[in-house]
């Protein structure tokens, strides 16, 4: 079984996957940058980053597959992370706080 | 000639993504090895497709003997969410021609989108070189960690002991905190969180993310 899928064998699949991945990433920016947009659409687009970011944050913290579950180690790490984010507005310190808290929890055997 | 300072800034801004991709990439490499993918096959997939969750699913499907059409279809639906991210960045990309947009689009991920949109929100205007440097740092981290995970599967210490699996959630929390400065944005974020969580168990695939973004941005638009 080992090594039974080589690059050459999978290349047609990769090209198909690359195409269907690339088109949704490319078409909106290719089209919308060339059009004059109505005010309501510009307004909608201006709120889209916050909406997407909040969705990604919720998904990465509390969704596993189709189950909503906030793991105790994630909840405990999220608190100091959010606090540092709010106080420092510095992304590096924020990420470092989250990772370090999680490492400490793991060392202490807390969480799953 | 792109300025060296811009490239360095892009690489540096990509560091949180590097930390987060490391454990994911190693895990993907291991899974791909168990499914029978050679190191070259892993390298090619990470370079050509560059889509974390779709790659995980494709490998799981290959392992179960799924064919070309089902894997391609599943990949399309998993990555459809990038449609919204591409649209959301578009107001800032009007100065670029189709060729430059092509390169930005190929490397558009949840994580690079989050950093780029946060920069624009903060009133920064990163150059094209800085954006591509950030994107390429992310893709290099993903590609190398998937390749390494595939080669050295099982020999490496488990990176979750270092807490690195929390790097991306922490990054999203940090970037979100920067946006919650006024009531309108906070209401949008709250609705997005609710729809994401409620939709997770009700909607198939990641339609919860797509619905959350569509509806919550709609709330922002309608609010006065």
């Amino acid at each position: 079984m080992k090594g039974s899928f080589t690059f050459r064998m999978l290349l047609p699949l990769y090209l198909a996957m690359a195409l269907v991945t690339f088109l949704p990433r490319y078409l909106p920016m290719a089209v919308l940058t060339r059009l004059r947009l109505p005010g309501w659409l510009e307004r909608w687009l201006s709120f889209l980053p916050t909406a997407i970011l909040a969705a990604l944050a919720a998904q990465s913290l509390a969704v596993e597959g189709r189950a909503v579950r906030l793991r105790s180690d994630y909840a405990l790490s999220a608190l100091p992370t959010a606090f540092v984010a709010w106080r420092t507005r510095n992304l590096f310190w924020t990420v470092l706080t989250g990772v370090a808290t999680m490492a400490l929890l793991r060392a202490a055997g807390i969480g799953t | 000639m792109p300025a060296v300072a811009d490239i360095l800034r892009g690489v540096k801004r990509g560091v949180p993504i590097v930390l987060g991709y490391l454990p994911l990439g190693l895990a993907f490499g291991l899974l791909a090895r168990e499914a029978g993918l050679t190191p070259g096959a892993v390298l090619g997939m990470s370079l050509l497709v560059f889509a974390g969750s779709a790659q995980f699913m494709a490998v799981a499907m290959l392992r179960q003997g799924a064919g070309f059409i089902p894997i391609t279809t599943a990949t399309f639906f998993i990555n459809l969410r990038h449609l919204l991210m591409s649209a959301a960045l578009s107001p800032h990309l009007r100065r670029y021609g189709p060729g430059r947009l092509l390169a930005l689009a190929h490397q558009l991920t949840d994580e690079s989108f989050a950093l780029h949109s946060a920069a624009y929100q903060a009133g920064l205007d990163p150059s094209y070189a800085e954006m591509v440097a950030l994107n390429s740092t992310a893709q290099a981290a993903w590609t190398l960690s998937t390749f390494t995970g595939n080669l050295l599967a099982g020999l490496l210490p488990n990176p979750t002991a270092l807490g690195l699996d929390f790097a991306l959630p922490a990054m999203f929390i940090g970037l979100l905190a920067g946006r919650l400065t006024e009531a309108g944005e906070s209401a949008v974020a709250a609705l997005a969180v609710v729809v994401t969580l409620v939709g997770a168990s009700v909607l198939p695939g990641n339609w919860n993310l797509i619905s959350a973004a569509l509806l919550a941005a709609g709330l922002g638009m309608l609010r006065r």
Side-chain angles (χ1 to χ4, degrees), chain A:
Chain A
M1 188 65 205
K2 220 154 237 166
S4 56
F5 289 114
T6 63
F7 174 69
R8 193 173 292 233
M9 223 168 124
L10 292 176
L11 185 59
L13 174 67
Y14 287 175
L15 293 178
M17 287 174 72
L19 183 72
V20 300
T21 300
F22 175 77
L23 289 178
R25 286 174 173 174
Y26 180 67
L27 289 178
M29 64 170 76
V31 172
L32 294 178
T33 52
R34 298 296 172 260
L35 297 179
R36 184 184 294 276
L37 304 178
W40 64 266
L41 183 56
E42 279 186 358
R43 213 173 135 68
W44 184 76
L45 286 175
S46 76
F47 283 102
L48 203 46
T50 299
I52 295 172
L53 210 51
L56 289 173
Q59 179 97 346
S60 69
L61 268 182
V63 177
E64 290 175 16
R66 297 191 65 177
V68 177
R69 184 167 89 90
L70 182 56
R71 291 161 38 159
S72 55
D73 53 350
Y74 273 39
L76 289 171
S77 297
L79 292 174
T81 303
F83 179 75
V84 170
W86 170 63
R87 282 306 294 267
T88 68
R89 303 274 164 194
N90 179 306
L91 190 61
F92 284 96
W93 287 117
T94 302
V95 171
L96 202 64
T97 302
V99 170
T101 310
M102 187 60 87
L104 285 175
L105 292 174
R106 293 272 155 72
I110 296 170
T112 41

Side-chain angles (χ1 to χ4, degrees), chain B:
Chain B
M1 250 315 262
V4 176
D6 284 13
I7 294 173
L8 289 178
R9 199 175 317 118
V11 171
K12 193 181 146 203
R13 284 179 52 220
V15 169
I17 302 184
V18 174
L19 295 178
Y21 279 180
L22 191 70
L24 288 175
L26 291 175
F28 174 78
L30 175 63
L31 185 77
R33 183 186 167 112
E34 285 167 355
L37 272 74
T38 62
V42 169
L43 201 59
M45 196 184 206
S46 294
L47 284 173
L48 289 172
V49 184
F50 188 31
S53 43
Q55 288 185 225
F56 269 102
M57 208 198 48
V59 162
M61 289 178 80
L62 277 174
R63 194 177 184 175
Q64 292 162 6
F68 184 91
I69 300 282
I71 297 178
T72 306
T73 309
T75 302
F76 173 73
F77 282 110
I78 287 191
N79 290 332
L80 200 54
R81 66 188 188 283
H82 294 129
L83 207 67
L84 294 170
M85 301 179 196
S86 177
L89 288 179
S90 67
H92 307 282
L93 306 177
R94 287 179 169 270
R95 74 198 97 155
Y96 302 131
R100 293 198 147 193
L101 291 180
L102 213 90
L104 289 181
H106 172 60
Q107 296 180 316
L108 179 65
T109 60
D110 296 353
E111 293 76 23
S112 65
F113 164 77
L115 288 181
H116 292 317
S117 70
Y120 289 129
Q121 167 86 359
L124 302 172
D125 190 22
S127 69
Y128 185 75
E130 182 177 335
M131 293 180 81
V132 171
L134 189 161
N135 292 345
S136 302
T137 302
Q139 186 165 16
W142 174 250
T143 305
L144 291 176
S145 57
T146 54
F147 181 69
T148 308
N150 185 259
L151 270 186
L152 305 178
L155 300 176
L156 295 169
N158 185 355
T160 57
L162 300 173
L164 287 177
D165 57 318
F166 201 67
L168 294 179
M171 183 180 87
F172 290 134
I173 291 172
L175 294 174
L176 182 62
R179 305 196 78 99
L180 305 181
T181 48
E182 51 120 350
E185 301 281 337
S186 302
V188 167
L191 180 61
V193 168
V194 170
V195 176
T196 301
L197 297 181
V198 172
S201 45
V202 184
L203 300 170
N206 53 25
W207 283 98
N208 63 326
L209 285 178
I210 296 175
S211 322
L214 289 171
L215 290 173
L219 172 73
M221 180 188 78
L222 295 174
R223 227 171 146 275
R224 264 295 155 196

